[in-house]
Amino acid sequence: MVEGSMTQGAGQGPEVERTATLRDFRVPAYVHETGPYGQGAHPGDTVPAPETAAPDGYTPTERDLPVIDRQDPVQVAVEPVPAPAVPPAPGPGPLYVVGDVHGYLDELVAALQEQHLIDAEGQWCAGTARLWFLGDFTDRGPDGIGVIDLVMRLSAEAAAAGGYCKALMGNHELLLLGAKRFGDTPVNSGAGTATFQAAWLLNGGQKTDMDRLQDHHLQWMARLDAVEEVDGHLLVHSDTTAYLDYGGSIEEVNDTIHDTLTRNDADEVWDLFRKFTKRFSFRDEGGADAVRSLLDTYGGTRIVHGHSPIPYLLGEVGSEDGEDDSGPTVEGPHVYADGLAIAMDGGVTMAGKLLVQQLPLPD
């Protein structure tokens, strides 16, 4: 027998040396391992690769996305994303009107602060509020140019805050413009010869205002409108029906007056000033009908005006030159002409009150 040719039983005979294969280096799976060769898995089975967390900063690529059989589409429910709610646009702020100022700057500042329209530093603080001046910024009082400067500044500040500050043209704006433009040039007054310079001095013109008057003040005054309708209130300066002579609509009236000032004819401007100086059209018998003629033409349910001081409308004794130191008692606007007219000139020039009023008036 050749040595080694006999078949050896299990566990018998000498060991035969063999070459190690790859299978011998496989590490057995741990009991709780879920990897490819974990418990219950076989080498031939298809086992998904273990999920591993992506390192910080890693951006997934196309290789990381699951493959979906196009023949077996997956329906994914997508909840509609509601559009972000758009906040409603803020409505207009409260409406205020200011009566004749006539150069009384300190009184104006105090009245605006009392209504919380400006702060302690004189800056606009009323947000979207709307403020209308009814004209007559200069003459009789000490600082007409200071008043105009304040109104011009507040116009810019209010606009930046979403509100506005606007002004109407009064007869004293026309008078100051005429005095600056035409001086002592004679005009046909209808009762003889007159001049703007003489009329301006007679109606309380202040030399300090004329000395400080600049081109931007003149341009601002010349561009003021004469009539406006806001929230059912027809705003004018003078209590007269003379506005009807200049057009059948608000736009036409304002355009006609602007054109007259642009033409720069002394007689035309004088005639405009003279008509705007008329007063008391709404006070006496037929006053309510006079108001209705304006409302029917230009719109609105009530007219709001300055020009004629409330003490005059009430028949009280007083002087617009401030000679009567006792002064009338004015608490607020005066409603008259069957409730259709609101007078806003509190008679500050006769020691009355400079009025700043929110509209509509309380019941």
Side-chain angles (χ1 to χ4, degrees), residues 24 91 97 165 187 216 266 310:
D24 299 295
V97 290
C165 171
V187 294
H216 67 274
I310 291 172

Side-chain angles (χ1 to χ4, degrees), residues 281-294:
S281 294
F282 313 147
R283 185 186 66 175
D284 302 321
E285 185 178 357
D289 290 335
V291 174
R292 290 188 185 95
S293 69
L294 291 169

Side-chain angles (χ1 to χ4, degrees), residues 54-65:
D56 293 339
Y58 177 79
T59 302
T61 67
E62 186 177 357
R63 297 179 59 186
D64 301 298
L65 302 176

Side-chain angles (χ1 to χ4, degrees), residues 98-102 133-137 167-171 173 237:
V98 184
D100 298 32
V101 182
H102 284 299
F133 285 81
L134 299 179
D136 278 10
F137 302 101
L168 295 179
M169 181 179 294
N171 60 304
E173 281 69 66
H237 172 70

Side-chain angles (χ1 to χ4, degrees), residues 96-344:
Y96 293 83
V97 290
V98 184
D100 298 32
V101 182
H102 284 299
Y104 285 85
L105 178 60
D106 292 342
E107 287 79 356
L108 173 61
V109 168
L112 293 173
Q113 289 174 338
E114 184 179 356
Q115 294 289 344
H116 308 291
L117 293 166
I118 62 174
D119 59 22
E121 285 71 42
Q123 307 294 315
W124 180 266
C125 66
T128 60
R130 298 166 294 160
L131 179 62
W132 275 97
F133 285 81
L134 299 179
D136 278 10
F137 302 101
T138 65
D139 304 337
R140 298 199 173 98
D143 196 0
I145 299 301
V147 170
I148 292 177
D149 285 336
L150 174 62
V151 176
M152 292 177 67
R153 176 170 60 79
L154 292 180
S155 296
E157 293 176 359
Y164 65 67
C165 171
K166 299 182 180 182
L168 295 179
M169 181 179 294
N171 60 304
H172 281 263
E173 281 69 66
L174 291 169
L175 185 57
L176 183 57
L177 283 168
K180 182 66 174 180
R181 290 182 178 184
F182 308 116
D184 290 323
T185 300
V187 294
N188 183 8
S189 69
T193 301
T195 69
F196 272 104
Q197 180 72 13
W200 175 69
L201 291 171
L202 183 64
N203 285 277
Q206 303 293 305
K207 184 178 184 301
T208 53
D209 284 346
M210 187 64 75
D211 291 342
R212 296 162 58 200
L213 188 62
Q214 299 180 36
D215 286 344
H216 67 274
H217 298 128
L218 294 168
Q219 293 170 7
W220 181 79
M221 287 189 292
R223 293 170 182 166
L224 295 176
D225 286 336
V227 187
E228 187 58 72
E229 189 272 328
V230 186
D231 294 354
H233 298 90
L234 186 64
L235 308 181
V236 297
H237 172 70
S238 303
D239 47 328
T240 177
T241 58
Y243 295 94
L244 296 170
D245 296 342
Y246 293 95
S249 68
I250 289 175
E251 183 178 10
E252 187 178 356
V253 171
N254 292 331
D255 287 347
T256 301
I257 292 172
H258 293 156
D259 291 344
T260 300
L261 292 174
T262 300
R263 283 193 296 272
N264 207 33
D265 180 271
D267 287 329
E268 277 193 294
V269 176
W270 177 267
D271 188 62
L272 184 61
F273 160 69
R274 181 180 62 83
K275 288 182 177 179
F276 271 42
T277 304
K278 293 180 178 180
R279 63 174 88 240
F280 301 146
S281 294
F282 313 147
R283 185 186 66 175
D284 302 321
E285 185 178 357
D289 290 335
V291 174
R292 290 188 185 95
S293 69
L294 291 169
L295 297 177
D296 291 344
T297 303
Y298 303 127
T301 57
R302 256 183 174 178
I303 197 165
V304 184
H305 70 85
H307 189 49
S308 292
I310 291 172
Y312 281 10
L313 293 170
L314 295 176
E316 297 178 1
V317 177
S319 168
E320 281 200 90
D321 296 321
E323 296 173 356
D324 185 358
D325 293 334
S326 61
T329 300
V330 176
E331 298 297 336
H334 173 52
V335 180
Y336 68 114
D338 293 347
L340 296 176
I342 302 173
M344 281 293 301

